[in-house]
Amino acid sequence: MSYRIGFIGTGKMASAIIKGVVENGFCDRSEIIASNPHKASRERAENELGIKVVDSNAKVVESTDIVILSVKPQQIPEVFSSEKLTFGPSHTLVSIAAGVTIETLKNQVPDSKIFRVMPNICSTNFVGAACFSYSENCTELDIDIVKSIFESVGMCFEVKEKDVDAVSGVSGSSPAFMFMVIDAMADAGVLLGLPRDLSIRLAAQTMLGSAVTVLESGKHPDELKDMVCSPGGTTIEGVKVLEEFGLRAAFMNAIEACVDKAKELGRKG
């Protein structure tokens, strides 16, 4: 039996993409096949996602032309060495492993079309951000198909491959930083007497609203910040404190550290 799309791995990101492509009509559950070596994970994926899940990566490759490689970078060598995978010119391999280059993947699947994609965890709620690059043998149809897959779980942009590692820091890892900010804001609310649940909801909604305002207004974030800061007011006092504690430098250094780690993991993949 043939399937429209296959997944090697059934983790959080694969599950999010599967839910997205089904809900947005890219394909039906019956057109999806995935693999996982662990029985409990296979049963969980079958029950939760309603798809066919097998114990062999080779079966996924044999039964579909679009294969999404959804494993950690350090697991990639084992994926290709544990059993013979018959990738050919008709196959499109889509890797979401951080730091792993198209050239590295080409060593494993020299005849196939290759996409390197960096999504983020927000895809689990269909508000993700993803960027992709691709090998020179990919067609416009291939690009449209892969873009449609990731647009089913959020925004998707084409970038040059040299920029994918930067994307891994700016949008791939940064949701963790945003969660830390929400948690810190909620702690401040609790310190000042607000109930924890209310404080979390206020902080999260404020971050959501701020993000939507940036995207919808078309204004530079700094311009929007100035709109909130009245002369001699409360907000500019808070901005002053954040600047004194090096907020901008902390975020820039954190993202740079993520990119360095992605490159390190890619060298091991």
Side-chain angles (χ1 to χ4, degrees):
M1 181 176 178
S2 62
Y3 295 84
R4 189 171 182 192
I5 184 171
F7 291 79
I8 294 178
T10 59
K12 289 185 176 64
M13 194 59 65
S15 297
I17 297 168
I18 291 166
K19 291 176 182 177
V21 295
V22 170
E23 186 160 315
N24 286 279
F26 178 85
C27 62
D28 188 77
R29 287 181 175 83
S30 63
E31 299 176 294
I32 301 172
I33 185 172
S35 61
N36 194 300
H38 306 292
K39 183 179 179 181
S41 295
R42 290 197 299 274
E43 291 176 349
R44 188 271 310 165
E46 286 190 335
N47 292 333
E48 179 183 320
L49 303 171
I51 62 168
K52 176 72 173 177
V53 186
V54 296
D55 62 359
S56 167
N57 299 330
K59 290 179 182 177
V60 172
V61 177
E62 290 166 5
S63 56
T64 185
D65 287 334
I66 302 173
V67 179
I68 296 184
L69 185 58
S70 182
V71 298
K72 293 180 172 62
Q74 56 268 36
Q75 294 175 315
I76 288 180
E78 182 182 354
V79 167
F80 288 99
S81 63
S82 61
E83 55 186 320
K84 183 175 175 58
L85 303 182
T86 56
F87 278 93
S90 66
H91 282 99
T92 299
L93 175 64
V94 181
S95 169
I96 62 173
V100 180
T101 66
I102 290 173
E103 192 61 35
T104 296
L105 295 167
K106 194 178 293 184
N107 292 333
Q108 301 288 355
V109 291
D111 301 322
S112 300
K113 293 165 282 190
I114 300 170
F115 281 80
R116 182 182 172 191
V117 186
M118 177 49 57
N120 69 14
I121 192 63
C122 303
S123 300
T124 56
N125 289 299
F126 303 164
V127 287
C131 288
F132 68 94
S133 57
Y134 48 87
S135 57
E136 66 280 354
N137 57 337
C138 295
T139 67
E140 286 298 323
L141 178 59
D142 298 324
I143 295 167
D144 288 343
I145 289 172
V146 171
K147 190 174 183 183
S148 294
I149 290 171
F150 287 90
E151 283 183 335
S152 72
V153 290
M155 296 181 175
C156 186
F157 307 95
E158 178 182 334
V159 298
K160 295 179 180 178
E161 191 186 4
K162 69 180 182 63
D163 295 325
V164 175
D165 284 331
V167 170
S168 72
V170 172
S171 62
S173 298
S174 64
F177 311 152
M178 301 300 103
F179 300 146
M180 292 173 69
V181 171
I182 291 171
D183 191 38
M185 291 171 64
D187 279 347
V190 173
L191 178 66
L192 296 168
L194 292 178
R196 169 71 62 180
D197 58 344
L198 174 60
S199 196
I200 290 174
R201 291 179 71 86
L202 287 172
Q205 179 66 24
T206 299
M207 180 171 284
L208 172 63
S210 300
V212 171
T213 302
V214 170
L215 293 173
E216 296 295 330
S217 71
K219 296 181 184 297
H220 192 282
D222 204 49
E223 182 181 354
L224 293 170
K225 179 208 71 179
D226 288 347
M227 290 169 61
V228 186
C229 294
S230 302
T234 58
T235 307
I236 194 65
E237 286 293 328
V239 168
K240 177 175 176 287
V241 172
L242 292 174
E243 294 288 8
E244 288 173 346
F245 276 85
L247 175 74
R248 294 172 189 267
F251 270 92
M252 292 170 71
N253 289 337
I255 289 171
E256 189 174 30
C258 292
V259 173
D260 290 342
K261 185 64 175 183
K263 291 177 178 177
E264 178 188 333
L265 291 172
R267 287 192 292 271
K268 295 177 181 179

